[in-house]
Amino acid sequence: GAVVSQHPSRVICKSGTSVKIECRSLDFQATTMFWYRQFPKQSLMLMATSNEGSKATYEQGVEKDKFLINHASLTLSTLTVTSAHPEDSSFYICSANGGSNTEAFFGQGTRLTVV
Amino acid sequence: AQSVTQPDIHITVSEGASLELRCNYSYGATPYLFWYVQSPGQGLQLLLKYFSGDTLVQGIKGFEAEFKRSQSSFNLRKPSVHWSDAAEYFCAVLRDSSYKLIFGSGTRLLVRP
């Protein structure tokens, strides 16, 4: 299957700083990527849909100024958590549509800890 | 609104025993359904999916799932569980054609030696 690479896999940052997470489709072009957030022992909640060359679409309740999403190319989307606070600590996972458009492939996730 | 319910928070089975993880969905039209597995600290791996056709779907790692429209269910099964199957399992339904997924709350599978 197609491969989606997410980097970094783990990051610790100080409160008030910003953190950037990258999501790359390695062997296919992804016009649409998705960013999910997963709290401990909970399910994944969609945060936003990232569209190549246009603004991201955010789900209700997600602060777009806090979670900046950029999808500058067909193989790369980035999520920047700005002015991070401890409550932003979570597991963030991206996914991308496969070329055949029959399934979404997930990255391995990023564990963000804000101290 | 679409939703997915996984009634069992965690299930423990003995290695070699059979397994069934429950999933119920709420969806107006014919749903597109998925089962994913997540190992600790990892992303999600697709086990199988149902879009249409045969209601019994075969997946990877010996898993299968059966779509039952009358029961709004898409239960995951495996005839003989291996210790390496211990993980978190998520059922999901496609929210719309853009491939946004709605996930159930997950079921943690523990495997006894």
Side-chain angles (χ1 to χ4, degrees):
Chain A
V3 178
V4 174
S5 177
Q6 196 171 333
H7 179 80
S9 59
R10 188 179 297 267
V11 58
I12 300 173
C13 70
K14 291 185 177 180
S15 186
T17 63
S18 295
V19 174
K20 180 184 285 188
I21 303 170
E22 293 186 347
C23 180
R24 294 181 184 270
S25 56
L26 297 187
D27 49 4
F28 66 98
Q29 293 184 330
T31 55
T32 305
M33 290 185 175
F34 305 92
W35 288 95
Y36 293 84
R37 181 174 181 177
Q38 184 181 30
F39 290 101
K41 301 187 186 301
Q42 294 189 29
S43 189
L44 290 81
M45 300 299 294
L46 180 65
M47 297 175 65
T49 303
S50 168
N51 301 296
E52 185 268 334
S54 63
K55 290 183 178 180
T57 304
Y58 291 81
E59 295 298 302
Q60 191 172 8
V62 178
E63 299 176 62
K64 59 183 179 183
D65 294 331
K66 179 164 193 62
F67 299 100
L68 299 180
I69 292 173
N70 183 274
H71 194 156
S73 77
L74 287 171
T75 60
L76 174 65
S77 175
T78 60
L79 168 67
T80 301
V81 183
T82 63
S83 186
H85 288 92
E87 57 265 31
D88 299 324
S89 299
S90 190
F91 194 60
Y92 294 87
I93 308 178
C94 69
S95 73
N97 284 20
S100 62
N101 221 26
T102 58
E103 71 176 271
F105 298 95
F106 284 82
Q108 63 268 51
T110 298
R111 169 74 59 195
L112 169 63
T113 303
V114 184
V115 297
Chain B
Q2 304 97 320
S3 65
V4 177
T5 302
Q6 292 180 249
D8 304 304
I9 297 173
H10 51 76
I11 283 181
T12 302
V13 298
S14 298
E15 190 169 15
S18 62
L19 170 71
E20 182 169 30
L21 301 182
R22 295 184 291 166
C23 172
N24 293 97
Y25 67 89
S26 173
Y27 193 79
T30 300
Y32 289 179
L33 295 158
F34 305 80
W35 273 101
Y36 286 89
V37 60
Q38 183 183 34
S39 297
Q42 300 294 314
L44 276 72
Q45 182 181 24
L46 180 68
L47 289 175
L48 48 78
K49 60 188 176 186
Y50 171 78
F51 283 5
S52 64
D54 193 346
T55 56
L56 184 62
V57 181
Q58 301 297 321
I60 63 171
K61 303 185 179 185
F63 286 94
E64 66 177 27
E66 187 170 11
F67 171 63
K68 292 185 177 180
R69 183 187 299 276
S70 62
Q71 298 177 21
S72 298
S73 69
F74 188 57
N75 294 349
L76 181 72
R77 301 194 293 251
K78 186 170 184 177
S80 178
V81 169
H82 188 263
W83 65 267
S84 60
D85 293 324
E88 187 90 20
Y89 291 80
F90 291 97
C91 181
V93 65
L94 203 65
R95 196 176 92 180
D96 54 42
S97 59
S98 66
Y99 272 84
K100 299 174 183 176
L101 291 169
I102 299 173
F103 286 88
S105 53
T107 298
R108 178 164 296 279
L109 173 65
L110 303 174
V111 181
R112 280 193 297 257

